[in-house]
């Protein structure tokens, strides 16, 4: 026998789940079959998702979001994934970047980046490197302090939303020789000199999720960008 676990979601989440189901049946499920073949980033579909505020699920109520529980959010991501895994990945990965800010950011950072999400921007969480992913301690990207700033150099790979994000949470080594304890995270806006993204990966699946390299070449940011 297979054990089944039941869970309850809030009334607000249940109403939103119904809306998501309707939207996915109409605008996601069938459309993504074509997008999955072409590898095209479905701009119009994601613009519709933003209009529905589906990208704001991780924003707490005090910052203007829906204030959903973790179970609520998981159930809504599950509803999206039924239609297309790439669609769910885009939205959940953006939430992952914001979650890092909510966990480690200052009050000013939390307000700023929640506002960016509410305004329709995506986030990207940049940890994986060519030789470091599960083994985070092997990271080579560095952040060197210099007169009130940090200068970042390195390459991140397989970054979800890398080519479409409005902000990036980037991990980098600040204290060599300390392994994971010597790694810090920084939040960086799109358009910052020295930060760039590569071409969209030609993947075997989940192709409606944008995946790229993120490159940092003498990317100078204020020290206040550290989480």
């Amino acid at each position: 026998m297979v054990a089944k676990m039941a869970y309850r979601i809030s009334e607000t989440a249940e109403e939103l789940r119904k809306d998501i189901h309707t939207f996915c049946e109409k605008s996601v499920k069938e459309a993504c079959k074509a997008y999955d073949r072409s590898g095209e980033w479905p701009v119009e579909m994601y613009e519709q998702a933003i209009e529905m505020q589906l990208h704001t699920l991780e924003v707490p109520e005090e910052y203007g979001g829906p204030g959903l529980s973790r179970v609520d959010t998981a159930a809504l991501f599950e509803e999206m994934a039924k239609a297309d895994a790439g669609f769910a990945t885009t939205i959940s990965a953006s939430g992952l970047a914001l979650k890092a800010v909510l966990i480690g950011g200052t009050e000013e950072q939390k307000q700023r980046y929640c506002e960016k999400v509410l305004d329709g921007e995506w986030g990207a969480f940049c940890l994986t490197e060519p030789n470091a992913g599960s083994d985070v301690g092997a990271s080579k990207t560095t952040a060197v302090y210099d007169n009130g700033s940090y200068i970042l150099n390195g390459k991140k790979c397989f970054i979800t939303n890398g080519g479409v994000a409005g902000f990036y949470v980037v991990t980098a080594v600040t204290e060599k020789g300390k392994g994971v304890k010597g790694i810090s995270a920084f939040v960086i806006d799109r358009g910052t000199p020295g930060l760039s993204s590569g071409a969209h990966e030609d993947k075997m699946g989940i192709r409606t999720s944008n995946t790229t390299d993120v490159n940092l070449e003498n990317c100078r940011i204020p020290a206040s960008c550290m989480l």
Side-chain angles (χ1 to χ4, degrees), residues 28-93:
V28 177
K29 183 183 289 186
E30 291 302 318
C32 282
K33 291 180 181 179
Y35 292 132
D36 215 37
R37 287 191 293 270
S38 69
E40 177 186 355
W41 169 257
V43 175
E44 184 177 347
M45 184 182 77
Y46 283 118
E47 286 178 346
Q48 291 175 350
I50 288 172
E51 287 179 8
M52 294 178 64
Q53 297 290 289
L54 301 186
H55 66 306
T56 69
L57 301 183
E58 299 281 5
V59 179
E61 188 173 11
E62 59 265 37
Y63 298 112
L68 301 172
S69 71
R70 296 308 306 156
V71 173
D72 286 345
T73 305
L76 299 178
F77 286 152
E78 182 180 64
E79 191 66 43
M80 296 176 202
K82 290 178 184 177
D84 183 71
F87 179 63
T89 298
T90 296
I91 295 176
S92 61

Side-chain angles (χ1 to χ4, degrees), residues 190-201:
R190 184 180 189 84
T192 299
L195 184 150
S196 63
S197 59
H200 179 42
E201 295 284 353

Side-chain angles (χ1 to χ4, degrees), residues 2-139:
V2 178
K4 295 183 179 181
M5 293 185 65
Y7 58 86
R8 295 178 182 273
I9 61 176
S10 67
E11 292 183 7
T12 299
E14 177 55 24
E15 289 301 312
L16 185 52
R17 188 197 65 77
K18 292 176 182 177
D19 290 342
I20 290 171
H21 177 79
T22 300
F23 171 66
C24 286
E25 287 295 315
K26 179 181 178 181
S27 303
V28 177
K29 183 183 289 186
E30 291 302 318
C32 282
K33 291 180 181 179
Y35 292 132
D36 215 37
R37 287 191 293 270
S38 69
E40 177 186 355
W41 169 257
V43 175
E44 184 177 347
M45 184 182 77
Y46 283 118
E47 286 178 346
Q48 291 175 350
I50 288 172
E51 287 179 8
M52 294 178 64
Q53 297 290 289
L54 301 186
H55 66 306
T56 69
L57 301 183
E58 299 281 5
V59 179
E61 188 173 11
E62 59 265 37
Y63 298 112
L68 301 172
S69 71
R70 296 308 306 156
V71 173
D72 286 345
T73 305
L76 299 178
F77 286 152
E78 182 180 64
E79 191 66 43
M80 296 176 202
K82 290 178 184 177
D84 183 71
F87 179 63
T89 298
T90 296
I91 295 176
S92 61
S94 180
L96 174 62
L98 180 62
K99 182 64 70 176
V101 176
L102 293 171
I103 290 173
T106 63
E107 183 61 28
E108 182 180 353
Q109 288 171 330
K110 293 174 184 179
Q111 292 179 359
R112 173 179 171 80
Y113 289 97
C114 282
E115 184 175 340
K116 281 182 170 290
V117 170
L118 292 171
D119 285 343
E121 293 191 18
W122 302 106
F125 186 75
C126 308
L127 182 149
T128 302
E129 300 181 6
N131 296 302
S134 299
D135 181 13
V136 179
S139 296

